[in-house]
Amino acid sequence: MAVELEFKKLTHAADLPLPAYQTNLAAGFDLTSANKAPIELATGQRALIPTGLAMALPAGFEAQVRPRSGLAAKHGVTVLNTPGTIDADYRGEIQVILINHGEEPFIVERGMRIAQMVIAPVVQAIILEVDALPETARGSGGFGSTGR
């Protein structure tokens, strides 16, 4: 299934490429950083990294911002609110909250692939208040209750 995405490059990203899938069957495409100067993330530090892109998602879809496995495995750098959701009615700049869980400072260079984005369908629920919920075998068993 394919959906058309409209991207607008903002002025500070005019020289950067549009997002692209790296392989034919990739679920996500990479987002690159559009910071003017390098951003140093000390251990435990987080920063909002600009991508220089705005987009128009079709109604009924969301964009999920997720970590890149290579940054996480090699440097301990990940997306803080993963997955971050971008709603179909948002038209501002896409930004990525990166955090450094690694043991060394990490430098975010301009044009670096910092995260990936997955486009997913969304179903909006009809919210109802009820006096009782239907019974299930699990019931109200919480964390770890099915592993006993």
Side-chain angles (χ1 to χ4, degrees):
M1 175 171 153
V3 61
E4 288 186 2
L5 293 180
E6 296 176 349
F7 281 96
K8 177 183 177 182
K9 284 188 186 182
L10 304 177
T11 55
H12 59 283
D15 61 322
L16 296 173
L18 285 174
Y21 293 97
Q22 298 299 307
T23 65
N24 289 341
L25 298 178
F29 51 82
D30 290 333
L31 296 173
T32 59
S33 61
N35 42 308
K36 294 178 182 177
I39 297 171
E40 181 175 331
L41 291 176
T43 298
Q45 185 180 12
R46 65 184 178 272
L48 196 57
I49 310 297
T51 67
L53 297 171
M55 72 177 182
L57 279 168
F61 289 88
E62 69 162 328
Q64 298 175 0
V65 180
R66 301 179 181 190
R68 291 194 63 239
S69 58
L71 286 181
K74 294 176 186 172
H75 305 285
V77 173
T78 189
V79 175
L80 187 57
N81 64 323
T82 187
T85 293
I86 299 173
D87 297 308
D89 57 352
Y90 178 67
R91 295 295 183 268
E93 181 175 12
I94 298 164
Q95 298 184 69
V96 177
I97 306 168
L98 289 184
I99 188 165
N100 181 3
H101 289 300
E103 298 172 2
E104 302 290 331
F106 182 80
I107 307 295
V108 181
E109 300 283 353
R110 180 177 178 78
M112 178 182 282
R113 295 183 297 158
I114 57 168
Q116 61 179 319
M117 180 177 280
V118 173
I119 306 304
V122 171
V123 176
Q124 283 192 331
I126 298 169
I127 309 297
L128 304 173
E129 182 177 359
V130 298
D131 293 327
L133 299 174
E135 294 292 325
T136 67
R138 181 178 181 178
S140 61
F143 296 101
S145 66
T146 61
R148 292 185 196 154

